[in-house]
Amino acid sequence: MNIKIIAILISLIWMGNSARKDTIQLWTIGDSTMANKKAEVFPETGWGQVLHQFFDDGVKIHNHARNGRSTKSFIDEGRWQIVLDSLKPGDFVFIQFGHNDEKIKDSTRYTVPFGSYSDNLKRFVTESREKGATPILLTPIVRRKFDAKGKLLDTHKDYPVAMRQVAKELNVPLIDMEKLTRKMIQSMGPEKAKELYVWTPPTKRYPEGRHDDTHLKVKGAQAVASLAAEALKKLSLGLSKHVVAQRPVVGLDNWFNREHNKAGKLYHYTWTDTLNSGYSQLGDIFKAKGAELRTIGQAPTAAELGYLDVYIIVDPDTTSENPQPNYISKEDIQSITNWVKNGGVLLLMANDGPNCEFTHLNQLAGKFGIHFIPETLNPVINHKWEMGAETNLPNHPLFKGVKKIYMKEVAGIKISQSAHPVLTDGKDILMAETTFGKGKVLAVGDPWLYNEYIGNSRLPKSFENRKAAHNLVNYLLDEVNQ
């Protein structure tokens, strides 16, 4: 084999091992209250599914929790062996079981609290430690079961007690989720607690609605994951140092804008495109502010949007950019408007006349009183940068401390309903915003802050697009927190 090839292979292996060494691997095992859920059961969400929002990038989570599993069935089906074979020194294992161990009529799942249940927990602990990993026991979360007087009922009986006993006997870190969730749900009361559990109105899939007192909605999963993370911070573990406040999730569309370069790879206004055409620098600013980035490479269904705080749609494809564009459909518009109404923050960024698919974009934007005009404002010839200069900047959070920005070849905007202008140039509106239900919409007539114009690699230093990019990120994330 060529010496150069061998050297490259060794380098790749070293980098792979180094990356794993620098990142803590957290493995989670448990039941449906913790498991990842399929889109068709949305908004049902396992708290392990959103746990990543409470850790920095130094932690990678492998959620192996599965619906309907007990300590017994998780072992008998070989699921524990898969996790065990993957464990390396320095890893951590979250262990939460109890809901299905209680099912006395099911011999494939039932365990005795101070017998087989405890034995299985001890096995998880002992075998994790033998692999150099750190096990952490978590008692099962409570069900929403209240008596007539509004007192939360204990449905788990001896199972949390048995786990606490195992933790004490084997000196295992314990996060007492039963106590933590009991306190939270009891304080909310029967009606308010429905906001966390899967109580939903009728749908095509569930014509009678859902009245589920065991499983969580997105909000509930995030609330439970937050409790676990806060409790972990109090433990003297290396993992504890990586706990952060809940990270907002920012999704960038790669469905309506889905261009490929000559090599057949996706590019142009994507987080991963580091060339002038990409949004990697804007993504870096989001990450520096604590946000988690996602690429939305499929239609924006309720399930896809349900885990986002901010959704960005940029310059939907024309047929000249994509022979088979994904146009914004009526179903997409319904999903997006519902999401915004419930508190989502939407950023719509168009482009100049020939380079954007306006018809379907305006069908969406029109729901918010916004209409993009297929025209080209601020045309710039060659490197005459000042032709794209905007200096009459308003007193608005987007332009705090900014004197001049660059906006080249911009679509104008018309507004109606409650929408109002943010940035104007004479009679032309370049940016607009509106409140819609609990959410917010910001519209910009240009892709504006992609890599080429976010800094001063090309632009003269008098332009402050990078500072404006920081302001934009703060503006969007501040809207999430309101």
Side-chain angles (χ1 to χ4, degrees), residues 214-238:
T214 298
H215 300 102
L216 304 165
K217 289 188 284 198
V218 179
K219 182 179 178 180
Q222 291 170 335
V224 171
S226 178
L227 291 176
E230 286 300 310
L232 178 64
K233 284 171 63 174
K234 300 175 182 179
L235 301 177
S236 299
L237 300 170

PDB file of all heavy atoms in Angstrom, residues 214-238:
ATOM      1  N   THR A 214     -49.690   9.135  30.927  1.00  0.00           N
ATOM      2  CA  THR A 214     -48.355   8.565  31.119  1.00  0.00           C
ATOM      3  C   THR A 214     -47.313   9.241  30.254  1.00  0.00           C
ATOM      4  O   THR A 214     -46.218   9.567  30.717  1.00  0.00           O
ATOM      5  CB  THR A 214     -48.365   7.052  30.803  1.00  0.00           C
ATOM      6  OG1 THR A 214     -49.255   6.392  31.702  1.00  0.00           O
ATOM      7  CG2 THR A 214     -46.973   6.454  30.940  1.00  0.00           C
ATOM      8  N   HIS A 215     -47.662   9.468  28.986  1.00  0.00           N
ATOM      9  CA  HIS A 215     -46.682   9.966  28.026  1.00  0.00           C
ATOM     10  C   HIS A 215     -46.744  11.485  27.892  1.00  0.00           C
ATOM     11  O   HIS A 215     -47.772  12.107  28.157  1.00  0.00           O
ATOM     12  CB  HIS A 215     -46.887   9.281  26.673  1.00  0.00           C
ATOM     13  CG  HIS A 215     -46.734   7.794  26.766  1.00  0.00           C
ATOM     14  ND1 HIS A 215     -47.826   6.940  26.788  1.00  0.00           N
ATOM     15  CD2 HIS A 215     -45.637   7.026  26.887  1.00  0.00           C
ATOM     16  CE1 HIS A 215     -47.388   5.694  26.912  1.00  0.00           C
ATOM     17  NE2 HIS A 215     -46.071   5.720  26.978  1.00  0.00           N
ATOM     18  N   LEU A 216     -45.634  12.049  27.440  1.00  0.00           N
ATOM     19  CA  LEU A 216     -45.446  13.495  27.464  1.00  0.00           C
ATOM     20  C   LEU A 216     -45.555  14.131  26.091  1.00  0.00           C
ATOM     21  O   LEU A 216     -45.221  13.518  25.079  1.00  0.00           O
ATOM     22  CB  LEU A 216     -44.060  13.819  28.036  1.00  0.00           C
ATOM     23  CG  LEU A 216     -43.754  13.250  29.428  1.00  0.00           C
ATOM     24  CD1 LEU A 216     -42.262  13.324  29.707  1.00  0.00           C
ATOM     25  CD2 LEU A 216     -44.540  13.993  30.502  1.00  0.00           C
ATOM     26  N   LYS A 217     -46.003  15.387  26.062  1.00  0.00           N
ATOM     27  CA  LYS A 217     -45.890  16.224  24.877  1.00  0.00           C
ATOM     28  C   LYS A 217     -44.493  16.871  24.881  1.00  0.00           C
ATOM     29  O   LYS A 217     -43.720  16.695  25.823  1.00  0.00           O
ATOM     30  CB  LYS A 217     -46.977  17.303  24.881  1.00  0.00           C
ATOM     31  CG  LYS A 217     -48.367  16.752  24.623  1.00  0.00           C
ATOM     32  CD  LYS A 217     -49.400  17.847  24.432  1.00  0.00           C
ATOM     33  CE  LYS A 217     -49.802  18.481  25.733  1.00  0.00           C
ATOM     34  NZ  LYS A 217     -51.070  19.232  25.648  1.00  0.00           N
ATOM     35  N   VAL A 218     -44.200  17.648  23.837  1.00  0.00           N
ATOM     36  CA  VAL A 218     -42.880  18.281  23.740  1.00  0.00           C
ATOM     37  C   VAL A 218     -42.593  19.116  24.985  1.00  0.00           C
ATOM     38  O   VAL A 218     -41.522  19.000  25.593  1.00  0.00           O
ATOM     39  CB  VAL A 218     -42.788  19.167  22.476  1.00  0.00           C
ATOM     40  CG1 VAL A 218     -41.414  19.843  22.404  1.00  0.00           C
ATOM     41  CG2 VAL A 218     -43.040  18.348  21.220  1.00  0.00           C
ATOM     42  N   LYS A 219     -43.552  19.943  25.366  1.00  0.00           N
ATOM     43  CA  LYS A 219     -43.368  20.800  26.542  1.00  0.00           C
ATOM     44  C   LYS A 219     -43.104  19.980  27.791  1.00  0.00           C
ATOM     45  O   LYS A 219     -42.255  20.341  28.618  1.00  0.00           O
ATOM     46  CB  LYS A 219     -44.602  21.685  26.726  1.00  0.00           C
ATOM     47  CG  LYS A 219     -44.525  22.657  27.888  1.00  0.00           C
ATOM     48  CD  LYS A 219     -45.790  23.506  27.973  1.00  0.00           C
ATOM     49  CE  LYS A 219     -45.748  24.455  29.164  1.00  0.00           C
ATOM     50  NZ  LYS A 219     -46.979  25.288  29.250  1.00  0.00           N
ATOM     51  N   GLY A 220     -43.823  18.879  27.943  1.00  0.00           N
ATOM     52  CA  GLY A 220     -43.634  18.025  29.105  1.00  0.00           C
ATOM     53  C   GLY A 220     -42.282  17.342  29.090  1.00  0.00           C
ATOM     54  O   GLY A 220     -41.607  17.236  30.128  1.00  0.00           O
ATOM     55  N   ALA A 221     -41.871  16.856  27.910  1.00  0.00           N
ATOM     56  CA  ALA A 221     -40.575  16.198  27.790  1.00  0.00           C
ATOM     57  C   ALA A 221     -39.447  17.170  28.135  1.00  0.00           C
ATOM     58  O   ALA A 221     -38.488  16.814  28.826  1.00  0.00           O
ATOM     59  CB  ALA A 221     -40.402  15.654  26.375  1.00  0.00           C
ATOM     60  N   GLN A 222     -39.576  18.398  27.668  1.00  0.00           N
ATOM     61  CA  GLN A 222     -38.552  19.397  27.977  1.00  0.00           C
ATOM     62  C   GLN A 222     -38.532  19.737  29.454  1.00  0.00           C
ATOM     63  O   GLN A 222     -37.462  19.924  30.044  1.00  0.00           O
ATOM     64  CB  GLN A 222     -38.785  20.653  27.130  1.00  0.00           C
ATOM     65  CG  GLN A 222     -38.508  20.440  25.651  1.00  0.00           C
ATOM     66  CD  GLN A 222     -38.966  21.591  24.783  1.00  0.00           C
ATOM     67  OE1 GLN A 222     -39.870  22.336  25.151  1.00  0.00           O
ATOM     68  NE2 GLN A 222     -38.360  21.742  23.615  1.00  0.00           N
ATOM     69  N   ALA A 223     -39.694  19.793  30.073  1.00  0.00           N
ATOM     70  CA  ALA A 223     -39.761  20.081  31.506  1.00  0.00           C
ATOM     71  C   ALA A 223     -39.104  18.972  32.322  1.00  0.00           C
ATOM     72  O   ALA A 223     -38.364  19.234  33.276  1.00  0.00           O
ATOM     73  CB  ALA A 223     -41.220  20.260  31.933  1.00  0.00           C
ATOM     74  N   VAL A 224     -39.359  17.718  31.939  1.00  0.00           N
ATOM     75  CA  VAL A 224     -38.776  16.577  32.657  1.00  0.00           C
ATOM     76  C   VAL A 224     -37.270  16.506  32.414  1.00  0.00           C
ATOM     77  O   VAL A 224     -36.478  16.275  33.338  1.00  0.00           O
ATOM     78  CB  VAL A 224     -39.467  15.268  32.232  1.00  0.00           C
ATOM     79  CG1 VAL A 224     -38.725  14.059  32.791  1.00  0.00           C
ATOM     80  CG2 VAL A 224     -40.917  15.266  32.716  1.00  0.00           C
ATOM     81  N   ALA A 225     -36.839  16.721  31.168  1.00  0.00           N
ATOM     82  CA  ALA A 225     -35.409  16.707  30.863  1.00  0.00           C
ATOM     83  C   ALA A 225     -34.680  17.804  31.630  1.00  0.00           C
ATOM     84  O   ALA A 225     -33.547  17.610  32.093  1.00  0.00           O
ATOM     85  CB  ALA A 225     -35.198  16.874  29.358  1.00  0.00           C
ATOM     86  N   SER A 226     -35.338  18.937  31.792  1.00  0.00           N
ATOM     87  CA  SER A 226     -34.742  20.032  32.552  1.00  0.00           C
ATOM     88  C   SER A 226     -34.546  19.645  34.012  1.00  0.00           C
ATOM     89  O   SER A 226     -33.511  19.952  34.620  1.00  0.00           O
ATOM     90  CB  SER A 226     -35.633  21.271  32.459  1.00  0.00           C
ATOM     91  OG  SER A 226     -35.100  22.337  33.218  1.00  0.00           O
ATOM     92  N   LEU A 227     -35.530  18.949  34.574  1.00  0.00           N
ATOM     93  CA  LEU A 227     -35.395  18.473  35.961  1.00  0.00           C
ATOM     94  C   LEU A 227     -34.205  17.530  36.101  1.00  0.00           C
ATOM     95  O   LEU A 227     -33.432  17.626  37.058  1.00  0.00           O
ATOM     96  CB  LEU A 227     -36.673  17.757  36.400  1.00  0.00           C
ATOM     97  CG  LEU A 227     -37.928  18.607  36.589  1.00  0.00           C
ATOM     98  CD1 LEU A 227     -39.118  17.713  36.938  1.00  0.00           C
ATOM     99  CD2 LEU A 227     -37.722  19.652  37.685  1.00  0.00           C
ATOM    100  N   ALA A 228     -34.063  16.619  35.141  1.00  0.00           N
ATOM    101  CA  ALA A 228     -32.955  15.663  35.186  1.00  0.00           C
ATOM    102  C   ALA A 228     -31.617  16.384  35.080  1.00  0.00           C
ATOM    103  O   ALA A 228     -30.656  16.065  35.800  1.00  0.00           O
ATOM    104  CB  ALA A 228     -33.105  14.636  34.061  1.00  0.00           C
ATOM    105  N   ALA A 229     -31.539  17.352  34.176  1.00  0.00           N
ATOM    106  CA  ALA A 229     -30.295  18.083  33.975  1.00  0.00           C
ATOM    107  C   ALA A 229     -29.917  18.903  35.202  1.00  0.00           C
ATOM    108  O   ALA A 229     -28.752  18.933  35.617  1.00  0.00           O
ATOM    109  CB  ALA A 229     -30.419  18.984  32.747  1.00  0.00           C
ATOM    110  N   GLU A 230     -30.893  19.562  35.799  1.00  0.00           N
ATOM    111  CA  GLU A 230     -30.618  20.365  36.989  1.00  0.00           C
ATOM    112  C   GLU A 230     -30.171  19.487  38.155  1.00  0.00           C
ATOM    113  O   GLU A 230     -29.280  19.870  38.927  1.00  0.00           O
ATOM    114  CB  GLU A 230     -31.859  21.170  37.381  1.00  0.00           C
ATOM    115  CG  GLU A 230     -32.132  22.355  36.470  1.00  0.00           C
ATOM    116  CD  GLU A 230     -30.987  23.346  36.454  1.00  0.00           C
ATOM    117  OE1 GLU A 230     -30.522  23.739  37.544  1.00  0.00           O
ATOM    118  OE2 GLU A 230     -30.540  23.708  35.348  1.00  0.00           O
ATOM    119  N   ALA A 231     -30.776  18.312  38.269  1.00  0.00           N
ATOM    120  CA  ALA A 231     -30.363  17.386  39.336  1.00  0.00           C
ATOM    121  C   ALA A 231     -28.952  16.868  39.071  1.00  0.00           C
ATOM    122  O   ALA A 231     -28.160  16.679  40.010  1.00  0.00           O
ATOM    123  CB  ALA A 231     -31.351  16.226  39.418  1.00  0.00           C
ATOM    124  N   LEU A 232     -28.626  16.639  37.808  1.00  0.00           N
ATOM    125  CA  LEU A 232     -27.291  16.153  37.456  1.00  0.00           C
ATOM    126  C   LEU A 232     -26.221  17.170  37.825  1.00  0.00           C
ATOM    127  O   LEU A 232     -25.109  16.798  38.235  1.00  0.00           O
ATOM    128  CB  LEU A 232     -27.241  15.856  35.949  1.00  0.00           C
ATOM    129  CG  LEU A 232     -25.907  15.371  35.387  1.00  0.00           C
ATOM    130  CD1 LEU A 232     -25.523  14.026  35.993  1.00  0.00           C
ATOM    131  CD2 LEU A 232     -25.980  15.264  33.863  1.00  0.00           C
ATOM    132  N   LYS A 233     -26.544  18.455  37.709  1.00  0.00           N
ATOM    133  CA  LYS A 233     -25.574  19.499  38.036  1.00  0.00           C
ATOM    134  C   LYS A 233     -25.107  19.407  39.482  1.00  0.00           C
ATOM    135  O   LYS A 233     -24.001  19.841  39.826  1.00  0.00           O
ATOM    136  CB  LYS A 233     -26.194  20.880  37.785  1.00  0.00           C
ATOM    137  CG  LYS A 233     -26.265  21.261  36.319  1.00  0.00           C
ATOM    138  CD  LYS A 233     -27.085  22.525  36.116  1.00  0.00           C
ATOM    139  CE  LYS A 233     -26.486  23.730  36.778  1.00  0.00           C
ATOM    140  NZ  LYS A 233     -27.240  24.972  36.449  1.00  0.00           N
ATOM    141  N   LYS A 234     -25.946  18.828  40.335  1.00  0.00           N
ATOM    142  CA  LYS A 234     -25.613  18.743  41.759  1.00  0.00           C
ATOM    143  C   LYS A 234     -24.731  17.540  42.093  1.00  0.00           C
ATOM    144  O   LYS A 234     -24.270  17.411  43.232  1.00  0.00           O
ATOM    145  CB  LYS A 234     -26.902  18.686  42.583  1.00  0.00           C
ATOM    146  CG  LYS A 234     -27.793  19.918  42.402  1.00  0.00           C
ATOM    147  CD  LYS A 234     -29.105  19.764  43.144  1.00  0.00           C
ATOM    148  CE  LYS A 234     -30.015  20.977  42.907  1.00  0.00           C
ATOM    149  NZ  LYS A 234     -31.317  20.848  43.599  1.00  0.00           N
ATOM    150  N   LEU A 235     -24.516  16.672  41.107  1.00  0.00           N
ATOM    151  CA  LEU A 235     -23.679  15.498  41.321  1.00  0.00           C
ATOM    152  C   LEU A 235     -22.237  15.813  40.926  1.00  0.00           C
ATOM    153  O   LEU A 235     -21.989  16.556  39.986  1.00  0.00           O
ATOM    154  CB  LEU A 235     -24.193  14.315  40.490  1.00  0.00           C
ATOM    155  CG  LEU A 235     -25.628  13.870  40.774  1.00  0.00           C
ATOM    156  CD1 LEU A 235     -26.025  12.737  39.826  1.00  0.00           C
ATOM    157  CD2 LEU A 235     -25.783  13.429  42.231  1.00  0.00           C
ATOM    158  N   SER A 236     -21.305  15.230  41.634  1.00  0.00           N
ATOM    159  CA  SER A 236     -19.884  15.484  41.354  1.00  0.00           C
ATOM    160  C   SER A 236     -19.392  14.545  40.259  1.00  0.00           C
ATOM    161  O   SER A 236     -18.648  13.580  40.505  1.00  0.00           O
ATOM    162  CB  SER A 236     -19.064  15.296  42.642  1.00  0.00           C
ATOM    163  OG  SER A 236     -19.482  16.203  43.635  1.00  0.00           O
ATOM    164  N   LEU A 237     -19.828  14.826  39.038  1.00  0.00           N
ATOM    165  CA  LEU A 237     -19.477  13.985  37.895  1.00  0.00           C
ATOM    166  C   LEU A 237     -18.971  14.865  36.754  1.00  0.00           C
ATOM    167  O   LEU A 237     -19.395  16.021  36.610  1.00  0.00           O
ATOM    168  CB  LEU A 237     -20.701  13.189  37.420  1.00  0.00           C
ATOM    169  CG  LEU A 237     -21.339  12.236  38.433  1.00  0.00           C
ATOM    170  CD1 LEU A 237     -22.676  11.722  37.889  1.00  0.00           C
ATOM    171  CD2 LEU A 237     -20.410  11.071  38.727  1.00  0.00           C
ATOM    172  N   GLY A 238     -18.097  14.311  35.926  1.00  0.00           N
ATOM    173  CA  GLY A 238     -17.597  15.057  34.778  1.00  0.00           C
ATOM    174  C   GLY A 238     -18.706  15.474  33.838  1.00  0.00           C
ATOM    175  O   GLY A 238     -18.660  16.550  33.227  1.00  0.00           O
TER     176      GLY A 238
END
